[in-house]
Structure formats: structure tokens, C-alpha cells
């Protein structure tokens, strides 16, 4: 667990004589903000959770692209917070006016956020059940979870389109497995928005 935590902070995962670098690049972050803007408009247009004073937490917020997109769409009195272990990513997002924490989810007070987003994070989590139970805890009844992940478990290994990036990715989900996991953790799956890339 300490190795996983250290790798998340530094963005460097030791792997059989090499390192997997996960800090990526900030070169395309503006296009990601625009892509998240389009997707959020689609997802939130029928939501009754997003109201004045909405409190939004993005877990594993990376460079903050989703939070920047949400900040453009929600009322001005909405509050946006990100959790991000990577020092490099936290520093970049903070330079764009985002409030970021290097705080374990377990230390967030109960029912303190109306919306939690988890974008391409759950495949990096060693214990998805415990992780989602903590997400349930920080949401009030009727709160909204937005979750995006790949469907690697639905793809035959020989047909997988890219490297698996082990050990950065710890688990792969398929659609049915993810829905079963969410229901086990007491989420109601309200909608599935296709397989688009953001």
C-alpha cells in the first residue's frame, strides 16, 4: 500500500526494471476542459442535485480539468474541491484557482459534498469496495456520483487497444461488473452515458 501511495504522489510506478510515468502532460488540458464541458452539459441537464450552493468533490482530480468545466456550468456560489495525491498535478491545478486537498477520502466529513466525481480513477484503487463505501459516506442521501472508467474487462486481452500500464492500473472493470459493484455499495445506477471518451 505504501508503494502504491508513493507512486500516486510522484507519478512514477516501479515495474520490472522500468518506471511507468503517469503525470502525463499539461499540453492538452484546455481541450480536456472543453470535452468535459460537453459531457457535463449532457449529464447534468436533467439533474436536480445541482442547485445553488452545490458542493462538488472530484477525487483524483488530476490537473483539474473536470472541476474547471464544472465551475463554468454551475451557479457562482457552488463550491469545488479536488483530491489529488500527485504534487505536480496539485500544483498545476492550484495555479488555476482550484482548491485541492492531499487528504485521504476517509478524512472527509460525512455528507459534506452533493456531487462526487471519479474520472478514470477506480482502476487505480486497490480496494474498490472500501473506496466506494467512503464515497457513499461523504455524499448525503440522494447525492450524485459521476464515474468514468474504461471497460477493459469486456475486451479480450489480444484485442486490447493499448498497453495495460501495470502496475498503475490495478483492476479492470467491465460494464456488468461495475454496475454490480455500485449496487453492492448502495448506489442506484440512474443512467449509463455510453462509451464516449473524455
Amino acid at each position: 500500500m505504501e508503494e502504491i501511495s508513493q507512486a500516486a504522489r510522484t507519478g512514477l510506478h516501479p515495474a520490472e526494471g522500468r518506471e511507468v510515468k503517469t503525470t502525463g502532460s499539461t499540453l492538452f488540458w484546455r481541450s480536456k476542459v472543453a470535452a468535459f464541458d460537453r459531457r457535463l452539459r449532457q449529464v447534468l441537464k436533467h439533474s436536480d442535485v445541482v442547485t445553488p450552493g452545490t458542493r462538488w468533490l472530484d477525487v483524483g482530480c488530476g490537473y483539474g480539468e473536470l472541476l474547471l468545466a464544472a465551475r463554468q456550468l454551475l451557479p457562482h456560489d457552488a463550491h469545488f474541491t479536488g483530491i489529488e495525491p500527485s504534487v505536480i498535478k496539485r500544483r498545476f491545478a492550484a495555479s488555476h484557482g482550484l482548491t485541492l486537498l492531499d487528504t485521504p477520502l476517509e478524512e472527509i466529513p460525512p455528507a459534506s459534498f452533493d456531487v462526487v466525481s471519479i474520472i478514470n480513477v477506480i482502476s487505480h484503487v486497490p480496494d474498490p469496495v472500501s473506496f466506494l463505501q467512503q464515497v457513499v459516506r461523504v455524499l448525503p442521501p440522494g447525492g450524485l456520483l459521476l464515474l468514468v472508467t474504461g471497460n477493459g474487462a469486456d475486451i479480450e486481452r489480444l484485442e486490447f487497444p493499448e498497453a495495460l500500464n501495470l502496475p498503475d492500473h490495478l483492476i479492470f472493470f467491465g460494464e456488468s461488473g461495475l454496475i454490480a459493484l455500485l449496487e453492492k455499495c448502495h448506489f442506484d445506477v440512474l443512467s449509463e452515458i455510453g462509451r464516449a471518451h473524455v
Side-chain angles (χ1 to χ4, degrees):
M1 289 302 291
E2 182 51 40
E3 271 186 32
I4 292 169
S5 295
Q6 177 68 13
R9 287 190 296 272
T10 63
L12 298 171
H13 294 261
E16 296 183 5
R18 63 186 178 90
E19 284 186 324
V20 176
K21 184 178 179 183
T22 62
T23 51
S25 168
T26 60
L27 292 176
F28 302 107
W29 76 274
R30 287 189 192 279
S31 64
K32 284 185 79 173
V33 172
F36 280 128
D37 181 276
R38 289 190 300 273
R39 291 299 299 278
L40 286 176
R41 286 178 192 277
Q42 180 184 8
V43 170
L44 297 177
K45 66 182 175 184
H46 301 298
S47 173
D48 57 0
V49 172
V50 178
T51 59
T54 294
R55 302 161 301 163
W56 189 306
L57 176 66
D58 190 20
V59 180
C61 68
Y63 293 107
E65 299 97 333
L66 182 127
L67 289 177
L68 290 170
R71 190 169 70 181
Q72 295 170 171
L73 295 175
L74 271 64
H76 292 295
D77 62 351
H79 303 279
F80 301 96
T81 303
I83 293 177
E84 175 52 55
S86 166
V87 175
I88 293 169
K89 293 177 181 180
R90 260 197 336 268
R91 197 174 297 139
F92 181 88
S95 74
H96 289 83
L98 295 172
T99 302
L100 299 172
L101 307 174
D102 180 20
T103 303
L105 195 53
E106 296 81 7
E107 294 179 16
I108 302 294
S112 53
F113 291 95
D114 306 299
V115 179
V116 173
S117 47
I118 305 169
I119 310 301
N120 296 323
V121 168
I122 200 156
S123 63
H124 306 279
V125 174
D127 185 349
V129 172
S130 295
F131 175 74
L132 286 175
Q133 287 170 341
Q134 291 300 321
V135 172
V136 169
R137 190 183 60 77
V138 303
L139 284 168
L144 180 66
L145 168 64
L146 300 176
L147 186 148
V148 173
T149 191
N151 66 326
D154 289 337
I155 302 171
E156 294 291 332
R157 179 62 188 107
L158 293 176
E159 297 175 7
F160 205 83
E162 55 193 38
L164 296 176
N165 284 338
L166 305 174
D168 178 32
H169 290 119
L170 301 173
I171 189 167
F172 293 92
F173 288 95
E175 187 175 347
S176 62
L178 182 60
I179 290 171
L181 173 65
L182 289 166
E183 290 174 345
K184 176 178 181 174
C185 295
H186 308 291
F187 284 100
D188 294 322
V189 178
L190 302 178
S191 66
E192 301 164 50
I193 312 287
R195 294 180 168 86
H197 295 283
V198 291

